[in-house]
Amino acid sequence: ILQEARQLQTCKAGNKTHAIEHGDLTSVRKDFWRRLARAHNSSRIARKGAIDPDSSIRESGHRLVWPHVGIPDSTGPGSPSWIRVTEQGIKQSFDITRVMFSRGNVSEKIRFGKLVKEGDVVLDMYAGIGYYTLPALIHGRASFVYACEWNEHAANALKFNVMDNKVGDRTKIMVGDCRKLAKQHNLVNLADRVSLGLLPSSEGGWRTAIRALKNRCGGWLHVHGNVPVKEAEGWALWVCRELSNFAREEGKGDNLIVLCSHMERVKSFAPTICHYVADIFVGPPEFQSLIDNQIILESATRAGILQSDSSFLPSPADIAPPSCALSPDGVLSQEWMR
């Protein structure tokens, strides 16, 4: 209908051409959105928008078109752009024009909630509106979650969501760059599990995540990334090698292992590129029982992948970075991710 309206911006009446006034076209649009909303029994209509890949805060590109237009002046509960999505019994509210949301991650949210053990202390370094914070608290029964988020609008939604889901007493929400917040709030030697859910790469937060793990028993890092499918195994091996280097540099001890026990394919990001999550244990070998520790201890690097047949694939000490590694002249070169 809108396309036809644009085509009718000029029309012929006899031998004369008349231009449809801008106001008339605006009224056609409004009437179209009103009819569409009524047909779908909806009180609002929004236009889907893209997320700027160079934006560090991952702000939404969605815009309202009816009855309000653009980004409303107000935000929060009661705002025209404030919505709620409920998944697996978890209520997630946010401003659709200011905060991104991906339904494609729902399977990973469920999986993360199952991975978290009752009593775990979790650090969520890129918390958003609570994509992984909320499953950790509600389904995983984590004892406490430290949640960092640098998009102020997402952080405000997270504050609302933890209260709405009645888990606010087990959450500390910090607004800003997680790497700076970790230093300000001394987020070291406290976490059983760290979520690194930043795309396209969470590489800039790996050292901070290592510092956060408990010194005595180590813990798990859940490393997200957009990775070429053909490089997935190499990426996991490289991540293990990098984490091993960071752990030693940060004084986590020489008697530690870095073991990737699983790689989860979350969703397709682009042709031949997928969103993966690597589950990686970093800590003393006596605190994991997935594989015969001797196999790892006898390897040159003590870092690598637990394969599907329970064999161990060691990470070479001189492994080359994959194409998705952050670099000034690489595919991923954004300064804000480093």
Side-chain angles (χ1 to χ4, degrees):
I1 295 174
L2 287 179
Q3 185 176 0
E4 292 177 0
R6 293 189 186 97
Q7 292 173 347
L8 286 172
Q9 279 187 292
T10 59
C11 62
K12 291 184 177 180
N15 293 325
K16 297 181 179 180
T17 299
H18 300 276
I20 295 180
E21 297 294 333
H22 176 71
D24 293 334
L25 183 57
T26 300
S27 66
V28 169
R29 287 194 180 109
K30 286 183 177 180
D31 185 59
F32 170 76
W33 296 129
R34 180 183 61 79
R35 290 170 181 266
L36 184 65
R38 185 171 63 184
H40 290 274
N41 193 30
S42 175
S43 61
R44 295 168 289 183
I45 299 292
R47 171 182 57 78
K48 184 177 180 179
I51 298 171
D52 183 355
D54 293 319
S55 169
S56 61
I57 62 173
R58 312 289 285 163
E59 193 169 35
S60 170
H62 301 335
R63 297 294 180 262
L64 296 179
V65 295
W66 188 88
H68 303 273
V69 179
I71 303 177
D73 293 332
S74 64
T75 187
S79 165
S81 50
W82 189 258
I83 69 170
R84 171 186 285 177
V85 176
T86 302
E87 295 174 330
Q88 300 294 308
I90 298 175
K91 294 173 285 187
Q92 303 163 99
S93 297
F94 58 98
D95 187 323
I96 195 174
T97 63
R98 292 176 168 90
V99 177
M100 63 157 284
F101 183 85
S102 174
R103 283 193 179 273
N105 294 343
V106 64
S107 62
E108 181 59 19
K109 297 175 190 176
I110 295 170
R111 193 182 77 93
F112 187 70
K114 293 178 179 178
L115 288 174
V116 174
K117 306 301 181 186
E118 185 171 359
D120 274 0
V121 175
V122 177
L123 170 60
D124 189 347
M125 292 180 60
Y126 308 98
I129 66 170
Y131 311 110
Y132 301 109
T133 289
L134 294 172
L137 291 163
I138 296 169
H139 295 314
R141 299 183 181 277
S143 64
F144 203 84
V145 174
Y146 296 88
C148 304
E149 174 52 44
W150 55 10
N151 181 329
E152 185 177 352
H153 295 295
N156 288 337
L158 175 57
K159 293 174 183 177
F160 176 87
N161 289 335
V162 295
M163 300 306 296
D164 197 27
N165 286 279
K166 298 179 172 55
V167 291
D169 59 334
R170 293 186 283 134
T171 316
K172 181 175 182 176
I173 299 170
M174 294 156 282
V175 184
D177 186 322
C178 58
R179 295 160 295 191
K180 296 178 181 178
L181 292 171
K183 294 179 180 179
Q184 294 169 8
H185 296 270
N186 196 31
L187 302 181
V188 296
N189 186 27
L190 54 74
D192 298 290
R193 201 173 295 274
V194 181
S195 173
L196 291 131
L198 179 66
L199 295 178
S201 173
S202 59
E203 187 180 339
W206 295 353
R207 186 183 291 274
T208 299
I210 288 290
R211 291 171 179 161
L213 292 178
K214 292 179 177 178
N215 292 334
R216 184 183 71 87
C217 56
W220 290 89
L221 304 184
H222 303 281
V223 182
H224 294 237
N226 286 340
V227 184
V229 175
K230 65 180 181 180
E231 298 181 48
E233 184 178 272
W235 173 76
L237 289 170
W238 172 74
V239 172
C240 288
R241 171 92 329 262
E242 291 293 290
L243 294 177
S244 179
N245 291 338
F246 287 146
R248 286 175 172 77
E249 290 170 6
E250 294 300 324
K252 290 292 182 177
D254 295 325
N255 183 35
L256 60 81
I257 61 172
V258 179
L259 179 66
C260 177
S261 66
H262 178 73
M263 275 190 66
E264 182 75 7
R265 179 189 177 279
V266 179
K267 63 181 183 294
S268 175
F269 177 78
T272 74
I273 297 176
C274 287
H275 170 188
Y276 286 98
V277 181
D279 302 329
I280 302 176
F281 174 81
V282 180
E286 58 266 28
F287 286 94
Q288 69 81 35
S289 58
L290 295 170
I291 190 173
D292 182 358
N293 290 330
Q294 196 61 34
I295 298 176
I296 302 177
L297 295 176
E298 290 176 355
S299 72
T301 63
R302 292 191 175 191
I305 298 174
L306 174 63
Q307 301 188 101
S308 57
D309 62 358
S310 297
S311 62
F312 178 65
L313 179 63
S315 175
D318 59 348
I319 186 169
S323 64
C324 56
L326 295 182
S327 63
D329 56 352
V331 176
L332 299 181
S333 58
Q334 291 92 334
E335 184 65 32
W336 63 266
M337 284 190 286
R338 299 184 201 173

